[in-house]
Amino acid sequence: MRVKLTVAYDGTAYCGWQIQPNGITIEEVLNRELSALFKEDIKVSGGSRTDSGVHALGNVAVFDTSSKMPAEKIALAVNQSLPDDIRVVKSEEVASDYHPRYVKCTKTYEYRILNTKINNPMKRLYAYHYHYDLDIEKMNRAAKYLEGEHDFTSFASIHSQVNSFTRTIYECSVSRKEDEVIITVSGDGFLYNMVRIIAGTLIQVGSGLKDPDDIPRILSALDREQAGPTAPPQGLTLISRVEEYL
Amino acid sequence: MRVKLTVAYDGTAYCGWQIQPNGITIEEVLNRELSALFKEDIKVSGGSRTDSGVHALGNVAVFDTSSKMPAEKIALAVNQSLPDDIRVVKSEEVASDYHPRYVKCTKTYEYRILNTKINNPMKRLYAYHYHYDLDIEKMNRAAKYLEGEHDFTSFASIHSQVNSFTRTIYECSVSRKEDEVIITVSGDGFLYNMVRIIAGTLIQVGSGLKDPDDIPRILSALDREQAGPTAPPQGLTLISRVEEYL
């Protein structure tokens, strides 16, 4: 059977999702513990390849197994041996041709900024500390320009390897919640570093280094140099992937 | 001059506040970095001796120095070399006879319980994961019995070394905030492990193992065995110490 896992993790200790030679990754740990559980070679396939240090509450992984364990029990079983910074939140059987990367879905990310004079040690791993004042109204005006279908070349790492830089952002908004500023972005897909470059650019707008009305020009330039810096990974969390057909 | 520091820390990596032979403590790190900064032997004296793994947003330390650095600049200066899980939030000059342990103050603690079926990796270091249902109304009824002046022998570690077990709790309340249950306790002082034993007891009430009306009997028994278990340290944070006279 094919099994879909919904996976949450604290990305602090990991070199991102995807297996790579230079450090431990989420994919690698899932493969190891699922293989040990089922006593067969399990290779998961991920929904979103989050970067080093980025967190997730709702990433997705699928794998095939010959096990007869009821799919919905797998979450509980594998959580027994997973390290406590990775949890399988849900496990379910899916069609044998289901793959999370080829299903249309709405992905939602949150970028958290702790906007205080001095960093909070209890939030330092899950928010980017930025101590200058941020103008939320300006950030929201800039964010609105990013909504809709655009070529996001200016908001993608120059190391992106994709055929098309066109993506659709359904919602991009900025809110203040106590001492945090939270950027919420949902869309049909995101380029390499795209949410972090959006965050870095909106922070420049909020602190007055860029104007909200600069965004249309930055988008149409199709030039990474025109957007702001890539904001640090610890502020970013993949909140959810909501699929249209399943 | 005598300097008062307000100190925040993530207690995860520390063996509590007080210097001890078997591991690194907050007090030790503050002494080391302040001594390096002022090039003299600095020994801080703490307000509350938090346990291993317990966090703080507003603990207090005082020390004497011959430095001429303006007191309010010391926070920024020492934060440059402190590890990022400890931050001095504020520094100020105080009277030479001021000591945080001998000033009447209201101490407020929060105990956070993540009340979900599966733990959240992004909250695991700052909340106790408890997956059974909790009845908040019952927990609040029990909490009210703890308010006021009582002999808290039943709610103190048997290793407490104090002359009197009498303390006054000004407020003890329980609230639900999204997927967390938060116990807030404020009082004039707390015995060793007292807030964690209160939390462990209220969790038993919330899950039906004890009745709210058991609390008066537990208090009057003056017997640690009658109260619930000591809840784990990661849920506990010293929020603030508000002094009456300064």
Side-chain angles (χ1 to χ4, degrees):
Chain A
M1 67 174 164
R2 181 159 288 193
V3 178
K4 175 187 171 185
L5 306 178
T6 304
V7 188
Y9 45 88
D10 173 346
T12 307
Y14 296 94
C15 292
W17 177 274
Q18 195 175 17
I19 288 181
Q20 53 126 302
N22 302 316
I24 187 112
T25 64
I26 309 292
E27 187 181 10
E28 185 179 342
V29 173
L30 287 172
N31 285 348
R32 185 185 72 206
E33 297 308 330
L34 289 165
S35 297
L37 178 65
F38 295 124
K39 298 182 177 55
E40 60 181 336
D41 190 32
I42 302 283
K43 290 212 188 310
V44 302
S45 199
S48 297
R49 295 174 183 162
T50 55
D51 286 346
S52 183
V54 169
H55 317 291
L57 293 178
N59 207 344
V60 163
V62 289
F63 65 93
D64 292 318
T65 176
S66 56
S67 166
K68 301 284 176 241
M69 184 184 290
E72 64 279 9
K73 304 276 189 199
I74 294 172
L76 204 64
V78 71
N79 280 339
Q80 302 299 316
S81 63
L82 282 171
D84 66 359
D85 52 7
I86 305 179
R87 289 291 96 175
V88 174
V89 179
K90 191 180 179 188
S91 53
E92 58 199 304
E93 187 171 352
V94 286
S96 60
D97 64 346
Y98 167 86
H99 192 289
R101 269 208 296 283
Y102 308 125
V103 68
K104 202 164 151 59
C105 72
T106 300
K107 298 170 193 171
T108 301
Y109 282 90
E110 258 183 25
Y111 194 92
R112 288 171 65 186
I113 302 157
L114 180 68
N115 192 26
T116 54
K117 290 296 164 204
I118 293 171
N119 203 351
N120 179 339
M122 297 177 69
K123 293 187 171 180
R124 76 192 193 288
L125 302 176
Y126 310 107
Y128 166 47
H129 178 242
Y130 186 80
H131 72 278
Y132 296 105
D133 287 343
L134 288 170
D135 183 325
I136 304 301
E137 189 271 326
K138 279 189 180 175
M139 290 173 79
N140 259 311
R141 272 207 290 137
K144 290 302 138 198
Y145 284 118
L146 296 168
E147 293 182 350
E149 185 182 274
H150 300 284
D151 182 319
F152 282 100
T153 300
S154 297
F155 292 87
S157 163
I158 54 162
H159 303 294
S160 300
Q161 292 179 318
V162 287
N163 296 319
S164 164
F165 287 83
T166 299
R167 296 290 183 277
T168 301
I169 290 187
Y170 304 129
E171 193 208 333
C172 186
S173 62
V174 185
S175 61
R176 195 181 284 277
K177 193 174 168 188
E178 295 169 13
D179 53 10
E180 293 182 19
V181 172
I182 297 167
I183 301 170
T184 305
V185 194
S186 67
D188 64 351
F190 293 92
L191 299 160
Y192 187 42
N193 280 352
M194 181 169 151
V195 183
R196 288 166 58 192
I197 297 168
I198 288 174
T201 306
L202 292 180
I203 290 167
Q204 286 195 328
V205 169
S207 59
L209 289 170
K210 281 189 166 58
D211 191 84
D213 299 326
D214 290 341
I215 302 294
R217 185 188 52 72
I218 295 171
L219 274 170
S220 60
L222 305 182
D223 172 11
R224 170 70 188 89
E225 294 288 307
Q226 301 300 309
T230 306
Q234 74 272 18
L236 187 61
T237 302
L238 170 59
I239 300 294
S240 63
R241 294 169 51 98
V242 177
E243 298 175 356
E244 277 187 35
Y245 321 101
L246 185 65
Chain B
M1 65 173 167
R2 182 158 288 193
V3 178
K4 174 186 171 186
L5 305 179
T6 304
V7 187
Y9 45 87
D10 173 345
T12 307
Y14 296 94
C15 292
W17 177 275
Q18 196 174 16
I19 288 181
Q20 53 126 303
N22 301 318
I24 187 113
T25 65
I26 310 292
E27 186 180 12
E28 186 179 342
V29 173
L30 286 172
N31 285 349
R32 185 185 72 205
E33 298 306 331
L34 289 165
S35 296
L37 177 65
F38 295 124
K39 298 181 174 57
E40 62 180 337
D41 190 31
I42 301 284
K43 290 213 188 308
V44 302
S45 199
S48 297
R49 294 175 184 161
T50 55
D51 285 349
S52 184
V54 169
H55 317 290
L57 293 178
N59 207 344
V60 163
V62 290
F63 64 95
D64 292 318
T65 175
S66 57
S67 166
K68 300 285 177 240
M69 184 184 289
E72 65 278 11
K73 304 276 188 197
I74 293 172
L76 204 62
V78 72
N79 281 338
Q80 302 298 317
S81 63
L82 282 171
D84 66 0
D85 52 6
I86 306 179
R87 289 292 96 174
V88 174
V89 178
K90 192 180 178 186
S91 54
E92 58 200 302
E93 188 170 352
V94 285
S96 61
D97 62 347
Y98 166 86
H99 192 290
R101 268 207 298 281
Y102 308 126
V103 68
K104 202 164 149 59
C105 70
T106 300
K107 296 170 195 172
T108 301
Y109 282 89
E110 258 183 25
Y111 194 91
R112 288 171 63 186
I113 300 156
L114 180 67
N115 192 26
T116 55
K117 289 296 163 204
I118 293 172
N119 202 352
N120 178 340
M122 298 178 68
K123 292 188 171 179
R124 77 193 192 288
L125 303 175
Y126 310 107
Y128 167 46
H129 178 241
Y130 186 80
H131 73 277
Y132 296 105
D133 286 344
L134 288 170
D135 183 325
I136 305 301
E137 188 272 326
K138 280 188 178 175
M139 290 173 79
N140 259 311
R141 273 208 288 138
K144 290 303 138 199
Y145 284 118
L146 297 168
E147 292 181 349
E149 186 181 273
H150 301 283
D151 182 320
F152 284 100
T153 300
S154 296
F155 292 87
S157 163
I158 55 163
H159 303 294
S160 300
Q161 292 178 319
V162 287
N163 295 321
S164 163
F165 287 83
T166 298
R167 298 289 183 276
T168 301
I169 289 186
Y170 304 129
E171 192 207 335
C172 186
S173 62
V174 184
S175 61
R176 194 180 284 277
K177 193 174 166 186
E178 295 166 15
D179 52 10
E180 294 183 18
V181 172
I182 299 168
I183 302 171
T184 305
V185 194
S186 67
D188 64 350
F190 294 91
L191 300 160
Y192 187 41
N193 281 351
M194 181 169 153
V195 183
R196 288 166 57 190
I197 297 168
I198 288 175
T201 307
L202 293 180
I203 289 168
Q204 286 195 329
V205 170
S207 59
L209 289 170
K210 282 189 165 57
D211 192 83
D213 299 326
D214 289 341
I215 302 295
R217 185 188 51 72
I218 295 170
L219 273 169
S220 60
L222 306 182
D223 172 11
R224 170 67 188 92
E225 294 289 305
Q226 301 299 310
T230 306
Q234 74 272 18
L236 187 61
T237 302
L238 170 59
I239 300 294
S240 63
R241 294 169 50 97
V242 177
E243 297 175 357
E244 277 187 36
Y245 321 101
L246 184 66

